[in-house]
Amino acid sequence: MRHVEHVMGTVFSFDIRHDGDAVRPALDTALTWLHWVDETFSTYRAGSAISRLDTDAVGMDECPAEVAEVLALCESVERASGGYFSLRPQGRLDPSALVKGWAVERASRLLREAGAPRHIVNGGGDIRLGAGPRQDHPWRAGVAHPLRPGRILAVVEGHDLAVATSGVAERGRHIINPHTGRPAGDLVSITVIGDDLTIVDAYATAAFAMGVDAPAWLERTPGVEGMVVTATGEIVTTSGFPPQR
Amino acid sequence: MVRAFVAVVATVFGLVLLLSFKPHEMAVAVAPPAAVRSSPQAQRSERPVTPSTSAATTVAGDTADTRWGPVQVKITVSDGKITDVRVPISPDGNRRDIEIARQALPILVQETLDAQSAHIDAVSGATYTSEGYVTSLQSAIDKAGL
């Protein structure tokens, strides 16, 4: 079953390789989750928990437990990346760079728990591969070429794997280097792969802000691998990209 | 004909770039070795491609010496379009070279193929808006699967 859902200002694509009556309710649970995340974490909605928390209209104790969870995750990525990831990239409380990956990761878990482990969830270009489409068959995830629209730069084969790409976004929202307050400009694209999309997505954002130092940081960070395209079109990968699975 | 040769050179150049990276030692700018900048004369000495015929033609690029060993790329052209890319000669001197080649070669071989021929299930890329999605590769994949 395939499904396309417009939520969180982008598009989520589902590819679920199961038949039977249980698939639709499993998908519905995941969709309900994504819309709840949007309502709770949107910085565009004045009434969201995150907006009200930012203006001190509510305290943390009045927010859902997931808000504290997300803020703690943001802080841990901020530490792990030497401050290249920020919970307040432009001054305001804005965990968006972590929330999408975290939401996709949970949506994938909800599908698995509902008996549909063979799936892909793609949240606006950040991908969580579940179990393979068939026994002993991997998924093939293409990485969009940042400089040649419609072309594929690399293919990552695998299952139970997270793939996130940060770049000079079509979205037009540049990634700010928190240390300079200016848009990061060394790279045009960075792809990070690993087990957990929450971490992989947030690390892709942090590494993009890092610029030329990103490959070395990803190389010494356990559990993730990466591929970088520099502003001059050169491609640099970490030694384990893509990992053999 | 020119397009095909440009593709060969570009692909070899890309491979050399990747193969030139020493494991665990990330560099960003690596100049291509002189071997890659093969003269037009050398290119013409290869089997010619005739773009006017619809039959598939295979052409081999020059062998480039990299620090990991020699690399050669062969492409198949049909109707002026690259339909296949092979790497008949790739470094296999030691275990690490084989590992590097295995990881690096598929990446850039794919670069010259379009998404349809790459048989992919999903596309990772910089976040698109709901509007941007319409023109994205992921949108094409979602449509094809319906």
Side-chain angles (χ1 to χ4, degrees):
Chain A
M1 173 192 270
R2 287 185 187 249
H3 181 81
V4 173
E5 187 77 4
H6 291 248
V7 58
M8 295 168 75
T10 183
V11 178
F12 287 68
S13 303
F14 292 83
D15 184 348
I16 307 174
R17 301 293 173 95
H18 293 274
D19 298 317
D21 296 341
V23 180
R24 185 69 221 190
L27 175 63
D28 285 341
T29 305
L31 297 179
T32 302
W33 160 252
L34 293 177
H35 284 279
W36 181 85
V37 171
D38 193 15
E39 282 158 28
T40 307
F41 289 93
S42 174
T43 55
Y44 295 97
R45 296 166 187 247
S48 73
I50 212 75
S51 295
R52 299 184 68 204
L53 188 63
D54 189 39
T55 56
D56 293 324
V58 291
M60 188 72 95
D61 53 342
E62 296 165 81
C63 293
E66 285 82 354
V67 172
E69 180 188 340
V70 161
L71 299 193
L73 284 165
C74 286
E75 279 160 10
S76 78
V77 174
E78 212 169 306
R79 278 193 301 275
S81 66
Y84 278 99
F85 180 93
S86 175
L87 181 53
R88 290 180 176 77
Q90 317 231 49
R92 285 186 57 198
L93 187 64
D94 184 2
S96 306
L98 182 132
V99 164
K100 181 154 61 72
W102 173 77
V104 170
E105 184 66 36
R106 181 76 60 90
S108 171
R109 196 179 90 195
L110 290 169
L111 289 173
R112 194 170 67 237
E113 288 170 355
R118 299 190 186 281
H119 62 255
I120 297 181
V121 184
N122 186 350
D126 296 323
I127 300 177
R128 182 61 159 85
L129 306 175
R134 285 176 285 150
Q135 187 72 40
D136 301 324
H137 278 75
W139 295 105
R140 285 170 60 81
V143 177
H145 197 302
L147 303 171
R148 295 166 70 187
R151 291 273 165 158
I152 294 296
L153 176 64
V155 177
V156 177
E157 273 201 351
H159 59 86
D160 301 296
L161 190 68
V163 185
T165 299
S166 282
V168 182
E170 279 181 51
R171 194 173 202 153
R173 254 173 45 157
H174 294 288
I175 293 171
I176 302 292
N177 176 349
H179 291 304
T180 63
R182 291 201 297 271
D186 291 347
L187 311 176
V188 289
S189 171
I190 181 158
T191 299
V192 179
I193 57 182
D195 290 333
D196 182 325
L197 191 60
T198 307
I199 293 299
V200 163
D201 189 15
Y203 278 21
T205 303
F208 192 89
M210 241 171 248
V212 292
D213 296 331
W217 179 64
L218 292 171
E219 185 71 36
R220 62 175 188 266
T221 302
V224 294
E225 298 294 341
M227 176 177 70
V228 160
V229 183
T230 69
T232 51
E234 279 136 357
I235 298 159
V236 188
T237 68
T238 57
S239 57
F241 182 96
Q244 307 299 307
R245 295 176 74 99
Chain B
M1 183 198 273
V2 170
R3 227 169 66 190
F5 282 145
V6 167
V8 171
V9 172
T11 308
V12 172
F13 175 77
L15 291 169
V16 169
L17 263 181
L18 258 184
L19 292 165
S20 302
F21 293 122
K22 258 175 84 178
H24 298 287
E25 206 177 277
M26 292 299 136
V28 169
V30 177
V36 178
R37 295 192 290 270
S38 46
S39 68
Q41 194 57 47
Q43 291 286 358
R44 271 197 292 275
S45 71
E46 300 293 338
R47 222 187 313 165
V49 179
T50 316
S52 53
T53 60
S54 58
T57 313
T58 300
V59 60
D62 281 351
T63 302
D65 284 309
T66 73
R67 85 165 81 162
W68 301 102
V71 175
Q72 190 195 36
V73 176
K74 261 187 188 172
I75 60 168
T76 303
V77 179
S78 187
D79 283 329
K81 206 182 153 205
I82 298 168
T83 54
D84 194 18
V85 182
R86 307 252 162 205
V87 187
I89 301 176
S90 63
D92 57 2
N94 62 45
R95 205 185 150 74
R96 182 63 202 163
D97 287 355
I98 293 168
E99 203 181 318
I100 294 256
R102 216 177 261 155
Q103 287 165 3
L105 295 182
I107 290 173
L108 284 159
V109 165
Q110 293 294 347
E111 188 181 5
T112 55
L113 298 175
D114 60 26
Q116 281 79 4
S117 55
H119 302 295
I120 49 176
D121 300 302
V123 181
S124 177
T127 304
Y128 37 76
T129 58
S130 287
E131 296 76 38
Y133 164 80
V134 176
T135 57
S136 70
L137 282 174
Q138 182 63 47
S139 157
I141 290 170
D142 290 338
K143 278 201 199 98
L146 287 173

